[in-house]
Amino acid sequence: RPLRPQDVPAETMVGVFPEGNVDAGDAPAFAVRLDPGRFSRPPAGGQLDGLAVWSLLCTHAGCPVRLYLKGTGRVLCPCHQSSFDRLAGARPIAGPAARPLPGLPIEVGPDGFLRATGDFTAPPGAGFWSRP
């Protein structure tokens, strides 16, 4: 279902899929609203009053990063224990992941719903997925 900015409470992860791409393996993402004053590095896809969207797929092996340490701005991949700091551009701070989580640029459409304005800022998932 479409998502409005107010549907994302502060400090809560909400799983999202770009419209028309629900079945695409590299499409899962998550939205989170954080205090924009806490960002030490802006989200790669930008943010709307602290609301930002990142790929759900770990950049190490493509597992879902679904463990959120509320209040810290960090998400964890339970498979291989990579940790990403969303307050610092979703860069990896622990574990085997070497790339930040790709951001998804968003805007609020005329209908009041969030929508992507482009593709992820980098290939989502494991880096070897995009190698020929």
Side-chain angles (χ1 to χ4, degrees):
R1 70 177 173 82
L3 191 68
R4 295 180 188 275
Q6 59 267 31
D7 295 335
V8 182
E11 298 286 338
T12 302
M13 280 179 70
V14 176
V16 297
F17 290 86
E19 187 175 13
N21 292 297
V22 174
D23 295 328
D26 62 354
F30 64 92
V32 173
R33 183 183 306 280
L34 300 165
D35 176 358
R38 293 180 61 203
F39 288 120
S40 62
R41 185 179 302 162
Q47 53 98 10
L48 301 171
D49 193 28
L51 178 64
V53 178
W54 287 275
S55 171
L56 185 69
L57 304 178
C58 181
T59 55
H60 169 245
C63 303
V65 282
R66 290 295 296 174
L67 297 177
Y68 176 42
L69 299 173
K70 195 169 186 173
T72 67
R74 295 181 178 169
V75 289
L76 305 170
C77 176
C79 300
H80 303 104
Q81 284 70 54
S82 288
S83 178
F84 299 88
D85 185 351
R86 289 166 306 137
L87 296 172
R91 68 180 175 86
I93 55 172
R99 295 185 301 123
L101 294 173
L104 186 67
I106 56 170
E107 69 179 9
V108 178
D111 55 3
F113 292 108
L114 291 173
R115 65 180 181 193
T117 61
D119 203 350
F120 287 108
T121 56
F128 60 83
W129 288 357
S130 58
R131 291 188 194 140

